[in-house]
């Protein structure tokens, strides 16, 4: 019964990713040793590295998951829902994510892996901005690609605040963001 | 002649900071060894550490300088000029700054040093937002503190893009930012 097997594999993968995310959040990327990954996932190193090549691979997968999740939320529930969900993320995890991703941008292998994975997510988000503008829900006097860059910058800037423990009113941020990118009333 | 001495001291400090910024940008925080700091500043370790306690102290000073410079530009030349200047910064230096600052936020001693230094800069920027709102140049229906948080988030998000080598049109970003925070026409 291959279907059950695939479901089992997927469930196990998810278990490992959830545990690894907790370990990275608690101990940082460097501090998340194999022993700590075993402890957090409740699985042996053999089992973990059966599913993922190495620690870097686990991290790339988690970083990619965050991008995918933002894309899914954006497409299914809109901009406000996507922002509310991502700024409600665990601050420790966001801190590790930003710090490690930013450090690894100098690592060619990491950039190549993430870019290969992200190739699926990027176009979906771009199409969303293009279509929203075509259908009159985004202002027409600024190119949709720049609207997308602005939105991403606000999202990353807010993620940095969350990671640093700096407060803000997400509803006020959404009023300002929407007034920036929607057609003038 | 104490005045000359003070000028000499200030010039020497600035020389060391400029060299250290170049060394951090080129080699990263960890990679900027004392030997590389000597090379970049053209001064001996004795001279460097006569002015600064240690490498961490040098970095705190440089991080603080960036905050001060944004505050000065904001007060003297306005929001657009401040954004144009900071997003034109050296990408390598911004990358090291963001990465190291974010990593060191977990280090109590670093946070204490930076907070002590930043105590001078924060209120000036806050006063700017408060006054701009009082005088009708910022929208009145969102608290000035949230307007400041939004502006800072956009700035940090754009700095992340610059650091990552991701392109954007700064003039388009400024149109969107201003439409978000200025009174509706």
């Amino acid at each position: 019964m291959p279907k059950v097997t695939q479901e089992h594999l997927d469930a196990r993968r998810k278990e490992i990713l959830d545990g690894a995310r907790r370990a990275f959040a608690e101990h940082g990327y460097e501090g998340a040793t194999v022993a700590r990954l075993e402890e957090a996932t409740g699985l042996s190193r053999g089992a973990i590295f059966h599913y993922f090549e190495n620690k870097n691979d686990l991290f790339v997968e988690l970083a990619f998951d965050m991008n995918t999740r933002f894309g899914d939320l954006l497409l299914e529930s809109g901009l406000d829902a996507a922002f509310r969900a991502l700024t409600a993320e665990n601050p420790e995890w966001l801190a590790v994510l930003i710090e490690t991703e930013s450090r690894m941008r100098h690592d060619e292998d990491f950039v190549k892996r993430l870019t290969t994975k992200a190739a699926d997510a990027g176009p979906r988000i771009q199409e969303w901005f293009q279509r929203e503008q075509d259908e009159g829900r985004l202002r027409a006097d600024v190119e949709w690609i720049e609207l997308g860059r602005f939105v991403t910058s606000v999202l990353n800037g807010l993620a940095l605040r969350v990671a640093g423990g700096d407060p803000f009113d997400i509803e006020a941020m959404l009023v300002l963001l929407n007034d920036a990118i929607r057609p003038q009333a």
Side-chain angles (χ1 to χ4, degrees), chain A residues 59-130:
Chain A
F59 181 80
V60 171
E61 194 70 32
L62 287 169
F64 173 67
D65 269 7
M66 285 286 288
N67 293 337
T68 310
R69 205 148 67 74
F70 179 70
D72 290 346
L73 274 166
L74 184 68
L75 270 57
E76 286 159 22
S77 317
L79 198 63
D80 291 17
F83 265 71
R84 281 195 196 100
L86 288 191
T87 53
E89 272 288 332
N90 177 337
E92 277 75 35
W93 164 238
L94 281 179
V96 174
L97 185 68
I98 294 167
E99 175 201 316
T100 311
E101 229 185 40
S102 125
R103 180 155 40 85
M104 289 190 177
R105 292 200 78 126
H106 303 283
D107 173 341
E108 269 182 45
D109 183 51
F110 173 80
V111 172
K112 209 168 66 192
R113 281 169 187 238
L114 196 63
T115 313
T116 311
K117 286 208 157 280
D120 297 331
R124 287 166 61 219
I125 296 180
Q126 293 200 349
E127 273 163 32
W128 184 88
F129 278 99
Q130 223 167 345

Side-chain angles (χ1 to χ4, degrees), chain A residues 155-176:
Chain A
L155 186 74
N156 288 335
L158 292 178
L160 269 175
R161 284 193 78 88
V162 174
D166 299 324
F168 59 89
D169 173 359
I170 179 65
E171 299 311 318
M173 299 302 119
L174 288 173
V175 167
L176 298 171

